[in-house]
Amino acid sequence: MKISYKITHCVSLLCISVLGLRASDEDVNPASPALLPLPQSVEWRKQAIPLESVKVSFPVMKDDTLRGAQVKAELKEILSSNKIEVNQNARTQILLRLGKVETPKHWAGQEDEAYELVTHTSGVAITANSITGLYRGVQTLRQLVVSKEGKASIAACEIRDYPAFKIRGFMHDVGRNFQTIEQLKMQIDVMAMHKYNVFHWHLTDHFGWRLESKKYPDLQSAKAFGRHHGKFYTQKEFKEMSDYCWARGIIIIPEFDSPGHSEAFRHGLEIKNMKDPRALKSMIGLIDELCTLADKERMPYVHIGTDEVRHKDEFVNADYLPALHKAVQDNGREVIGWWKGMHIKGDTKQIQQTWAQYRPLSKIRHIDSRSNYVNHLEALDFAVRMYFQQPCRVAHGDEQQLGGILAHWPDTLVDDQNLTLTNNPVIPSMVAYSEAVWKGVPKDYKLWATLPKKGTPEFTAFADFENRLAEQRDRFHSKTPFPMVKTHHIEWRLLGPVANDDVPELEKGIVKDKYEVNGKPFNWTTPIHGGAIHTRHFFGFGSHLKHLPKGKNIVWGNTYVYSPIDQELDAWIAFNTISTSDDRAGAAKQGDWSAHPDCNIWINGKRIDPPTWKTDGKRGKEIALVDQVYMSRAPAKIKLKKGWNPVLMKSARKFKWVFSFSPVEQVGSSYREVKGLKYSSTLPAN
């Protein structure tokens, strides 16, 4: 399947680079449109106020002309896209003003981004402590304006808002798989719409040193690249990107990962190992050069990596890490490093960024990226992870718990950069995670792969979240890659784990409420919900089944899908979907759905054929991802009869033990739920 979406390259910084932000408001309630992230406080007044023409008032913006100009440009774009006339004689007013907006004492440090937004019949007033706060308020205004049949309105409401965390970021690893500046700008625009303030730019890795160095030009020579040869960002592009981000209330945290992940660095400079004195001298020179490209305000931090130093060529002398710290600090920047990674004993100045499942060190400032990797997520399971994970395992930030950065590590080779955004739900995850770091999550739910029981307050809250996420998709992301459909309404029952052939009728695709084999009963579970069902989560997070006896490697899943008519549909179907950072789940051979040949699906008793695989079982990080992930290949075709259709999934154990299923409808570069379908874990009587 060819995936395409439009990106326009803007010479001016003052524009929106994602085409098609405004898509469809057809199903939106104009009195209370979906907001994401939710504000800290919102009071709906159950009214939509017509907006035909408005006069606009801005404060004098002396301190930050670039960001101030961006505020004006985006407000103009919002009005234009909704066909609202700007008329300085109009009675209705949109007033942006600087004033005092209070935040709770324990939210100290976030006052700069606080704002209040009030709408009433005379118009809209956004009040903020700074231009940045006004910019955040304008992003909320964007979501409040609804257009139907050519007429715009705004929901009557009163909003008081401020971020729960100081650091709210997204990280993209471009060292392994290069992304063009245009594609990165599109992602920055999405971040800005949802109130992020950090772009963590992982610029270097084994396969490339992606930032031009005029001090060490050999880092851009052919010998330095392992993939995407010659693809790097010029210093001019870096400066442009810094300005582009700054205009949108976002700072850049650049990362030079060292001494691990340093193959491109060593090959380019012909340094055999990181103990060579030239390695340290060069790294200090590169840090000094980097810090000339953006001022301290726009780039207050430099990330020096230090994770996964596992090979002898990456080992360093004792003076290496202190010297890097000094180089960063001498340039007036703060040091960020991975934990677990190299750490100077007793040092409390470095900010630690946690990854995997490592607990943060005490008394050191902390940015949370623990297991927070988009590259392990798929379109049918990411939302629960984004909604229930509590950043830093606290309800709101403080001087030590700074916030969270969502990380995308697409390790495996991708030749088509578009696939990087569909092999995993990059943009949907970004939009979803914004709520956790902006509004905060009230408690550590430990729900990372399974939905809570239907009927609980947690389930109801998650259903509302998915509905809001889908509304954002439909309104603003029809032309951006947004692989996401709602899953909370898909109801399953499971049987197992069992051994292969334990239940012969199931092997034939026969669905019954009860089975008995040689006097032994086999029963289904009570209902569970979701689009991707994890029998055993690959990272040990909570799964749908608790007991997994040795030798019992099959789990069956069953749902009934109601269709109002006979129809052929597209569907996302997958078993043990690989992570784009590793291939431990394997690759399917022709004729199979998964690397485990026992995985299968039947609908109405008929087996659904798997795709014709382009890779045919080949695996490895240098085997380019083309169709291994269901979001980046043509959906499967399924036929549903009018009425209830039994769906039977046979899921067999691999590194990932998960099956994924949902009918979908493609609209532009996004997918939608198929209207009119219903789901039940048992066959309804009528």
Side-chain angles (χ1 to χ4, degrees):
M1 176 182 66
K2 182 179 180 181
I3 298 171
S4 62
Y5 49 90
K6 293 183 179 179
I7 303 174
T8 181
H9 178 69
C10 301
V11 176
S12 170
L13 296 171
L14 307 177
C15 62
I16 300 296
S17 70
V18 183
L19 294 180
L21 286 177
R22 168 68 60 190
S24 172
D25 289 351
E26 178 184 352
D27 298 323
V28 178
N29 179 355
S32 58
L35 301 180
L36 212 159
L38 273 178
Q40 299 296 340
S41 171
V42 57
E43 180 182 339
W44 299 108
R45 293 174 177 165
K46 300 180 180 179
Q47 180 185 1
I49 301 166
L51 288 180
E52 295 182 2
S53 68
V54 297
K55 63 179 178 180
V56 179
S57 298
F58 293 99
V60 176
M61 301 181 184
K62 294 181 179 179
D63 296 335
D64 190 348
T65 55
L66 182 58
R67 193 169 293 173
Q70 186 68 25
V71 171
K72 293 180 180 180
E74 293 200 28
L75 180 57
K76 180 180 178 181
E77 178 269 325
I78 292 168
L79 299 176
S80 174
S81 64
N82 287 284
K83 299 180 180 178
I84 301 169
E85 179 188 12
V86 177
N87 182 347
Q88 293 307 110
N89 295 317
R91 293 184 177 182
T92 304
Q93 180 177 208
I94 295 180
L95 172 63
L96 275 62
R97 61 192 177 192
L98 297 174
K100 184 63 176 176
V101 177
E102 299 287 345
T103 59
K105 289 183 179 179
H106 56 256
W107 256 269
Q110 276 77 271
E111 299 95 338
D112 187 55
E113 298 183 88
Y115 69 93
E116 291 177 350
L117 188 154
V118 179
T119 61
H120 41 71
T121 53
S122 61
V124 183
I126 302 176
T127 307
N129 296 320
S130 71
I131 303 303
T132 306
L134 290 178
Y135 186 78
R136 305 297 181 222
V138 166
Q139 303 315 310
T140 301
L141 176 68
R142 180 191 302 280
Q143 298 180 23
L144 289 170
V145 177
V146 175
S147 290
K148 292 193 175 188
E149 298 178 353
K151 295 183 178 181
S153 64
I154 189 167
C157 61
E158 185 169 340
I159 289 172
R160 182 170 178 244
D161 206 8
Y162 39 83
F165 291 95
K166 179 180 179 180
I167 297 289
R168 308 179 308 281
F170 172 71
M171 188 224 78
H172 206 134
D173 168 17
V174 298
R176 292 178 173 94
N177 283 291
F178 183 79
Q179 298 268 289
T180 62
I181 286 290
E182 289 78 12
Q183 184 149 298
L184 289 177
K185 283 183 177 180
M186 180 264 287
Q187 295 166 66
I188 297 300
D189 286 336
V190 175
M191 291 169 61
M193 286 174 61
H194 298 281
K195 303 183 175 69
Y196 282 83
N197 66 348
V198 167
F199 174 48
H200 178 170
W201 204 354
H202 184 85
L203 287 159
T204 70
D205 219 288
H206 282 316
F207 298 101
W209 188 279
R210 302 290 180 191
L211 179 60
E212 177 191 21
S213 173
K214 294 180 179 178
K215 282 188 175 182
Y216 302 99
D218 282 348
L219 289 173
Q220 280 71 64
S221 66
K223 59 190 175 185
F225 291 100
R227 290 182 190 160
H228 306 289
H229 286 70
K231 299 291 186 181
F232 62 92
Y233 309 102
T234 66
Q235 292 190 2
K236 181 180 177 181
E237 287 174 323
F238 185 94
K239 292 176 182 178
E240 178 186 347
M241 198 63 174
S242 174
D243 286 345
Y244 195 89
C245 288
W246 180 257
R248 290 154 179 78
I250 294 169
I251 62 169
I252 287 177
I253 296 178
E255 181 181 354
F256 288 170
D257 199 355
S258 178
H261 300 273
S262 59
E263 194 170 293
F265 171 81
R266 289 182 280 115
H267 286 182
L269 300 185
E270 297 183 343
I271 293 172
K272 186 175 181 180
N273 62 66
M274 296 301 288
K275 288 188 176 183
D276 187 321
R278 291 181 299 150
L280 179 54
K281 180 182 178 181
S282 300
M283 282 302 303
I284 291 172
L286 287 161
I287 289 170
D288 290 341
E289 184 180 27
L290 171 67
C291 291
T292 67
L293 303 183
D295 61 33
K296 300 173 189 178
E297 191 173 23
R298 299 184 188 191
M299 196 177 78
Y301 310 99
V302 172
H303 202 304
I304 59 173
T306 79
D307 63 311
E308 296 187 322
V309 181
R310 297 171 175 171
H311 308 290
K312 65 179 183 178
D313 291 342
E314 300 167 343
F315 298 164
V316 293
N317 297 317
D319 63 342
Y320 185 86
L321 188 58
L324 293 196
H325 279 226
K326 185 177 185 302
V328 172
Q329 292 159 356
D330 284 351
N331 280 284
R333 320 303 165 109
E334 294 201 72
V335 176
I336 301 176
W338 291 108
W339 181 255
K340 215 168 188 182
M342 295 169 61
H343 182 70
I344 300 172
K345 188 175 182 180
D347 175 72
T348 58
K349 291 182 180 180
Q350 175 188 317
I351 299 169
Q352 60 181 324
Q353 185 174 350
T354 49
W355 65 286
Q357 298 185 54
Y358 299 117
R359 293 179 179 273
L361 298 170
S362 62
K363 300 180 181 179
I364 301 177
R365 287 173 296 167
H366 172 218
I367 299 170
D368 192 3
S369 294
R370 282 172 289 181
S371 303
N372 204 5
Y373 311 147
V374 183
N375 43 282
H376 289 301
L377 302 177
E378 54 179 277
L380 295 173
D381 76 355
F382 78 94
V384 62
R385 172 75 178 81
M386 297 295 99
Y387 182 70
F388 287 110
Q389 187 238 173
Q390 188 182 51
C392 296
R393 311 303 181 263
V394 294
H396 58 80
D398 54 33
E399 292 181 357
Q400 183 173 340
Q401 305 298 338
L402 301 182
I405 293 179
L406 182 67
H408 186 42
W409 301 102
D411 295 38
T412 304
L413 176 64
V414 179
D415 290 328
D416 180 352
Q417 69 162 359
N418 292 349
L419 297 184
T420 302
L421 301 183
T422 56
N423 283 333
N424 300 106
V426 174
I427 292 176
S429 295
M430 190 189 301
V431 175
Y433 186 62
S434 70
E435 186 153 299
V437 284
W438 178 271
K439 183 173 175 57
V441 179
K443 69 177 186 178
D444 187 8
Y445 288 100
K446 294 183 172 61
L447 289 167
W448 293 37
T450 60
L451 288 181
K453 188 175 181 180
K454 188 176 181 179
T456 62
E458 291 81 7
F459 183 93
T460 301
F462 177 77
D464 171 73
F465 173 72
E466 269 203 328
N467 289 334
R468 287 188 288 117
L469 186 56
E471 187 171 305
Q472 292 286 319
R473 173 200 66 197
D474 296 346
R475 295 188 69 194
F476 302 115
H477 296 287
S478 66
K479 294 182 180 179
T480 54
F482 205 93
M484 173 268 170
V485 295
K486 293 185 283 188
T487 64
H488 67 269
H489 58 299
I490 304 177
E491 184 176 275
W492 299 91
R493 56 182 179 177
L494 304 180
L495 188 150
V498 296
N500 221 1
D501 300 322
D502 268 0
V503 188
E505 287 179 295
L506 281 171
E507 302 289 348
K508 299 175 183 178
I510 299 172
V511 179
K512 297 165 57 174
D513 286 339
K514 294 181 179 180
Y515 299 90
E516 186 174 303
V517 180
N518 298 325
K520 180 180 179 180
F522 291 88
N523 298 312
W524 298 99
T525 64
T526 55
I528 60 173
H529 293 82
I533 304 300
H534 290 265
T535 296
R536 177 186 59 81
H537 196 278
F538 49 98
F539 281 155
F541 302 143
S543 303
H544 288 285
L545 295 179
K546 307 301 180 186
H547 303 289
L548 305 173
K550 187 175 181 180
K552 306 290 186 180
N553 294 324
I554 302 295
V555 166
W556 297 87
N558 170 226
T559 188
Y560 290 86
V561 183
Y562 174 83
S563 173
I565 58 172
D566 292 340
Q567 57 182 323
E568 182 178 76
L569 297 172
D570 288 340
W572 281 340
I573 300 172
F575 297 87
N576 310 327
T577 301
I578 67 168
S579 296
T580 58
S581 56
D582 65 64
D583 65 345
R584 283 176 284 180
K589 295 182 179 180
Q590 300 298 1
D592 296 332
W593 273 103
S594 165
H596 198 306
D598 287 331
C599 293
N600 243 319
I601 175 173
W602 297 262
I603 297 180
N604 288 313
K606 182 179 179 181
R607 180 182 186 252
I608 306 300
D609 291 331
T612 300
W613 303 105
K614 295 178 181 178
T615 51
D616 192 16
K618 294 178 183 177
R619 57 185 291 188
K621 289 191 177 183
E622 298 310 303
I623 303 296
L625 294 170
V626 286
D627 64 352
Q628 297 93 323
V629 183
Y630 61 83
M631 297 95 74
S632 289
R633 64 175 182 252
K637 296 292 184 183
I638 64 172
K639 291 183 178 180
L640 297 182
K641 301 175 182 178
K642 181 179 180 180
W644 290 98
N645 299 262
V647 178
L648 182 64
M649 309 279 289
K650 183 183 181 183
S651 177
R653 183 173 189 160
K654 288 289 289 183
F655 167 69
K656 282 191 173 184
W657 196 355
V658 56
F659 67 82
S660 309
F661 172 83
S662 178
V664 294
E665 177 186 1
Q666 187 169 6
V667 179
S669 293
S670 296
Y671 287 89
R672 310 281 172 87
E673 303 77 20
V674 178
K675 291 184 177 181
L677 300 186
K678 300 176 184 178
Y679 299 83
S680 175
S681 61
T682 56
L683 183 62
N686 49 355

